[in-house]
């Protein structure tokens, strides 16, 4: 539900004095200096957006009943994570219905989650029997540092990515790992499909990252980027989904990249990053206090 439009009086990534140039039929704005992209319309707080309807019809098609697909995605993400690090403890930010946590715990990892949606967190606890707290990750205080913080398709949703990453940093020891996956606005599919690219999702996604802008954000927030790549959505599709999407995303991917590989240095529509908490002595409070441009409404646009 879009409740209004906002004008950012400066880029929140580089601090440039700009309202951003409209792109993708005016749905998004892009900083002309650093190319950071944000959604033009204001959004309700996450607690209101991610109710049971989001998981059943609005954001997903029957998320809670598509267990086979969710398990498949989770196993692939866990395999990717363990290709770089073998954690004993793990904290997932935005753990949704808990499928990744279930896969991690089944692999012997002490995995726990934080989820803002009460509907999703309740499902994780009651149906999958995994430990999930219901609150914003930014408000979570981790009593003992964990080896890895994971966030899969979460950073684009949060109100304040800087505060979110400060919380992730606080949950890690120096050298601890952060594993992220977000949509890639610089992908082949995004360029080809424009406003029809499904991952724009302006009703839910506030921020839109490229490999360069995400790396800059992580560096600003006290992380060292160790590895990054992109993958195409079909990496997570089972056979029925591949057939359903062959005319849109699959064609767009191949037409721009001329490759049937599932990974690519920059053209895949999913951006994946491994980063480590730097040991430069910066405190969480100093990272949270970093000045950023303000937002001001240019007009209200109410929708039922």
């Amino acid at each position: 539900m879009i409740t209004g439009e906002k004008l950012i009086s400066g880029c929140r990534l580089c601090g440039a004095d700009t309202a951003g140039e409209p792109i993708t039929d005016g749905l998004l704005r892009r900083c002309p200096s650093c190319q950071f992209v944000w959604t033009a319309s204001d959004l309700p707080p996450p607690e209101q957006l991610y109710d049971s309807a989001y998981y059943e019809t609005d954001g997903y098609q029957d998320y809670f009943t598509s267990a086979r697909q969710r398990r498949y995605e989770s196993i692939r993400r866990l395999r990717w994570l363990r290709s770089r690090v073998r954690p004993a403890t793990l904290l997932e930010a935005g753990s949704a219905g808990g499928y990744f946590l279930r896969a991690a715990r089944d692999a012997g990892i002490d995995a726990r989650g934080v989820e803002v949606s009460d509907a999703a967190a309740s499902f994780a606890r009651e149906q999958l029997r995994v430990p999930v707290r219901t609150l914003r990750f930014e408000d979570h205080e981790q009593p003992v540092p964990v080896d890895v913080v994971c966030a899969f398709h979460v950073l684009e949703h949060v109100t304040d990515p800087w505060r979110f990453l400060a919380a992730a940093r606080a949950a890690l020891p120096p050298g601890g790992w952060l594993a992220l996956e977000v949509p890639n606005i610089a992908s082949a599919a995004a360029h080809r499909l424009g406003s029809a690219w499904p991952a724009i999702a302006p009703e839910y996604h506030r921020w839109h990252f490229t490999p360069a802008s995400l790396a800059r954000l992580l560096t600003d927030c006290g992380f060292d980027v160790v590895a990054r790549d992109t993958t195409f959505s079909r990496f997570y599709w089972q056979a029925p989904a591949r057939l359903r999407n062959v005319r849109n995303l699959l064609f767009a991917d191949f037409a721009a990249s001329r490759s049937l590989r599932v990974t690519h240095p920059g053209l895949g529509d999913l951006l994946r990053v491994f980063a480590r908490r730097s040991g430069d002595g910066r405190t969480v409070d100093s990272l949270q206090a970093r000045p950023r441009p303000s937002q001001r409404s240019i007009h209200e646009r109410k929708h039922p």
Side-chain angles (χ1 to χ4, degrees):
M1 179 187 299
I2 299 174
T3 60
E5 290 191 359
K6 66 189 176 186
L7 178 65
I8 297 180
S9 57
C11 174
R12 297 191 70 184
L13 185 61
C14 73
D17 185 13
T18 178
E21 54 189 14
I23 60 173
T24 56
D25 299 328
L27 293 173
L28 311 180
R29 290 179 180 270
R30 180 174 57 203
C31 173
S33 297
C34 71
Q35 306 302 302
F36 186 49
V37 179
W38 58 89
T39 294
S41 297
D42 198 8
L43 298 176
E47 294 85 350
Q48 295 180 25
L49 276 175
Y50 304 111
D51 55 11
S52 58
Y54 173 77
Y55 288 94
E56 293 168 358
T57 55
D58 296 346
Y60 289 89
Q61 291 298 317
D62 298 321
Y63 173 93
F64 296 126
T65 59
S66 56
R68 183 180 176 185
Q69 174 62 34
R70 303 306 160 199
R71 291 191 192 104
Y72 181 79
E73 295 169 2
S74 298
I75 290 170
R76 304 217 84 177
R77 287 196 172 108
L78 183 61
R79 189 178 302 157
W80 170 73
L81 174 69
R82 297 180 82 186
S83 72
R84 178 68 56 171
V85 58
R86 295 279 176 153
T89 57
L90 179 152
L91 179 64
E92 185 181 10
S95 50
Y99 285 103
F100 179 78
L101 292 176
R102 182 71 272 165
R105 291 179 76 86
D106 289 346
I109 301 170
D110 181 4
R112 299 172 181 273
V114 178
E115 170 56 48
V116 72
S117 167
D118 182 61
S122 296
F123 178 88
R125 290 190 297 264
E126 296 166 10
Q127 301 299 320
L128 299 187
R129 306 297 181 186
V130 292
V132 177
R133 294 186 66 195
T134 304
L135 78 165
R136 290 193 190 196
F137 180 72
E138 300 92 313
D139 298 326
H140 172 74
E141 295 183 5
Q142 180 63 28
V144 179
V146 295
D147 297 331
V148 178
V149 172
C150 299
F152 303 114
H153 294 267
V154 177
L155 194 62
E156 66 271 24
H157 293 264
V158 303
T159 303
D160 189 334
W162 289 263
R163 188 164 174 250
F164 179 93
L165 290 172
R169 195 174 188 273
L172 294 167
W177 289 89
L178 176 68
L180 295 177
E181 183 177 288
V182 297
N184 176 21
I185 194 67
S187 67
H191 282 300
R192 186 173 185 87
L193 297 176
S195 60
W197 186 48
I200 287 180
E203 302 90 348
Y204 300 106
H205 293 176
R206 303 170 192 264
W207 316 103
H208 306 269
F209 299 99
T210 66
S213 66
L214 182 57
R216 180 170 182 168
L217 173 63
L218 290 169
T219 300
D220 285 352
C221 291
F223 289 93
D224 298 321
V225 175
V226 175
R228 70 185 184 194
D229 71 352
T230 70
T231 187
F232 297 98
S233 292
R234 61 181 180 272
F235 179 73
Y236 294 115
W237 295 345
Q238 292 182 294
R242 292 192 190 101
L243 293 175
R244 287 196 304 270
N245 289 283
V246 69
R247 286 193 172 184
N248 45 49
L249 280 178
L250 183 58
F251 178 77
D253 290 345
F254 178 75
S257 67
R258 299 298 177 185
S259 173
L260 288 175
R261 293 180 299 168
V262 294
T263 61
H264 191 278
L267 290 179
D269 48 342
L270 306 177
L271 169 59
R272 306 185 299 186
V273 173
F274 282 112
R276 303 190 79 168
R277 175 180 165 169
S278 62
D280 60 5
R282 282 182 283 181
T283 66
V284 173
D285 288 342
S286 69
L287 291 165
Q288 290 180 329
R290 177 178 177 265
R292 293 184 295 276
S294 62
Q295 298 178 0
R296 55 187 175 87
S297 295
I298 50 175
H299 68 272
E300 290 296 317
R301 186 179 64 182
K302 301 291 184 181
H303 292 269

